[in-house]
Structure formats: structure tokens, C-alpha cells
Amino acid sequence: MLRPRFVVMSMYSGASGGTGKSTLAAGLAVLLSRYLSADTALIDLGSTAASTRLLGVVPSGAGVLDYLAGVVGDVGRVITRSSLVPTVHVVPPGMPPSIEYVLDTSPEDLGKRWEGLLYGLLEHTSSRVVIIDLPPNPPRWVVDTILPRSQVVNLVLENTSTSEYVLAEIDSTVTRGLASGGRVVNIVLNKTVPGVDITDRVRGFARGGFITTLPLSPITHYLVASMKLPVLYQAGGTLADFQRVLEQVASQLTRQVRILLTGRVEYGQA
């Protein structure tokens, strides 16, 4: 069986915004680069370009929407190296007018351009992992074109009872179809407060993957509000708690990536 030369990993929260998905996407791009000793890339489809900014890139030029719309034909023009972590490459959202051209593009052409973007990233950066930061409540073309081309999907939601119903909706419309293609579906429950944990109630929604709860961290929220990436700071208290669990998530994802890339994981390695 042919093995992929890189792994595509989507960060998805369904219709829920404010889950911390972009913070996790940017942080995992850094951690996976460190754990795999390889370059990684992040494609930011969020309207606020939060993960782009957290990685030290100003989203002022062309990006993924421009390439998908056919406004830009050279993949190299939409790639920027992170100013904070040189082994992480960023494709920002791009110019808003391009979304109109994307909507007018046929699904077949969008699929071809998306594949062209991914393999162009491989050619320009040699990244082993491409992380896609999907927007909340994504348009249909994102669900139909991008998610099916992801080998790993991380569903990111706040750890509240409401998220149980959001997961049920996502599962009925998305993850069952993804699982049929052999993809891995992980669940990351973010912003967990003491006494609240719906892990057991949502366990059945994961597909061949893991479920993890990340603790609520006021320090993390402060850093993100200041456009600072939490994984690049060392401190005690809730930030240390958050970083410790996020590193465990990165370790589990590293194992999944290695299995997809090589079919095996060396004993004792993440």
C-alpha cells in the first residue's frame, strides 16, 4: 500500500465559535514540528486569521482563498514562514473578494486546486504535516472539498453539556462519512473547569482516535488576547497545566502521523 508523503490534519468545531480551535491549531503546528523534527505548515481559513497572527504572520497579502479562486497561480506566493518558529510555514486566508470567485468555482475545480495547493506546499516546504484551521460554521464547499481530503480530523469543542449536542450534529453530517474512508477522528474538549467533564458521554463520537480534555487557563486567554502563542511561553499555574496536556495531545497526534507516514511507530517514541 502506498504511504502518503505528508499528513493533512483538519481542526474543526462545526458551528461553534470561540472554542480555542485556532490557538490549538497554531500551537500544534509548533509542537508537531518539534516532535517530528520536521517542517509543518498551517493553512488558515478563518475569517479573523487568528492562527496566522499567533504564528507571527501579518495577513496582508495573498492567501488560500486567492489560490483556490484562481487569482494567484503560484503556490509560493501564498506561503509565509513563521517569524516565531522558522520550521512552521503559514498560508493566510487571503483577500476577502476572492471568496466570491471560490463560490463560483465548480467542486471539481476546487478539488483540483486544493490538491495543487497541498502538493505545492510539499514542494516549497517539505512539510510532513499540513494543519488546516477551518472556520466555525464552514460553508458547504469547505465541508465537501477539504474535510474528505484530511487524514486526521480533530473536533475541538468547549467541555460543556451543550457540546454533546453539537458533536451529535457533527457526527450525523460529517464524521460518519469520514470514518468510512478510514480517517482518524479525535475529540478535543477545551476550556474544562473542575466538576465538568462530558468525556464518557461523547466517547462514541471518536473514530479510531482519542478524546482529550484541556483545562481552562486564564493565562492562556490573556496571551491569546495579546496575540501571543501560549506554547512559546514558560510559566507556572494554569498555563503550565494547559501546556502539559497540549503536549500530550501533540504526542498522540505524532504517533498517528508516524503510523500514517510509515505504517509503524518505533517503541518508546511519541
Side-chain angles (χ1 to χ4, degrees):
M1 182 175 63
L2 292 175
R3 297 289 175 185
R5 291 184 290 169
F6 59 96
V7 171
V8 180
M9 180 182 301
S10 285
M11 309 292 290
Y12 183 46
S13 62
S16 299
T19 64
K21 171 183 55 59
S22 294
T23 301
L24 298 181
L28 289 171
V30 173
L31 292 176
L32 287 174
S33 174
R34 185 184 306 165
Y35 286 15
L36 291 165
S37 299
D39 284 17
T40 60
L42 181 142
I43 300 177
D44 187 354
L45 279 163
S47 59
T48 63
S51 53
T52 294
R53 298 175 190 275
L54 285 169
L55 287 167
V57 174
V58 179
S60 58
V64 57
L65 292 177
D66 304 280
Y67 185 82
L68 293 179
V71 176
V72 173
D74 180 5
V75 173
R77 285 186 55 194
V78 302
I79 305 171
T80 303
R81 190 183 296 271
S82 167
S83 63
L84 304 177
V85 184
T87 54
V88 177
H89 308 268
V90 180
V91 180
M95 307 304 289
S98 293
I99 189 63
E100 299 177 7
Y101 297 101
V102 171
L103 294 175
D104 290 336
T105 305
S106 70
E108 294 77 13
D109 286 342
L110 273 178
K112 291 177 182 178
R113 290 177 185 173
W114 182 253
E115 294 288 344
L117 175 62
L118 293 177
Y119 282 96
L121 265 173
L122 176 65
E123 179 182 352
H124 283 82
T125 71
S126 299
S127 295
R128 304 309 304 273
V129 177
V130 179
I131 296 177
I132 318 298
D133 184 12
L134 298 178
N137 198 23
R140 195 72 235 173
W141 68 267
V142 170
V143 175
D144 292 342
T145 302
I146 296 176
L147 273 177
R149 289 173 169 82
S150 303
Q151 293 132 310
V152 178
V153 178
N154 298 318
L155 302 179
V156 181
L157 296 168
E158 292 187 21
N159 195 7
T160 66
S161 58
T162 304
S163 295
E164 180 181 358
Y165 302 105
V166 175
L167 269 177
E169 180 180 354
I170 292 174
D171 187 64
S172 64
T173 59
V174 177
T175 59
R176 291 185 186 276
L178 292 176
S180 65
R183 297 166 188 82
V184 175
V185 179
N186 304 307
I187 298 175
V188 180
L189 298 173
N190 197 20
K191 304 180 183 180
T192 303
V193 297
V196 177
D197 189 355
I198 64 170
T199 300
D200 290 338
R201 287 150 60 185
V202 302
R203 193 172 301 279
F205 297 113
R207 308 291 177 188
F210 59 81
I211 301 176
T212 297
T213 59
L214 284 161
L216 178 69
S217 170
I219 303 175
T220 297
H221 290 181
Y222 169 77
L223 290 172
V224 172
S226 305
M227 278 296 129
K228 298 177 180 178
L229 190 58
V231 298
L232 300 181
Y233 290 81
Q234 292 185 347
T238 61
L239 177 58
D241 295 337
F242 173 83
Q243 289 175 330
R244 182 177 63 255
V245 182
L246 186 59
E247 288 177 359
Q248 292 172 2
V249 172
S251 178
Q252 294 179 88
L253 291 173
T254 299
R255 181 176 294 271
Q256 292 176 354
V257 168
R258 284 189 171 136
I259 290 173
L260 288 166
L261 290 175
T262 68
R264 63 190 178 92
V265 176
E266 296 296 335
Y267 179 77
Q269 293 187 357

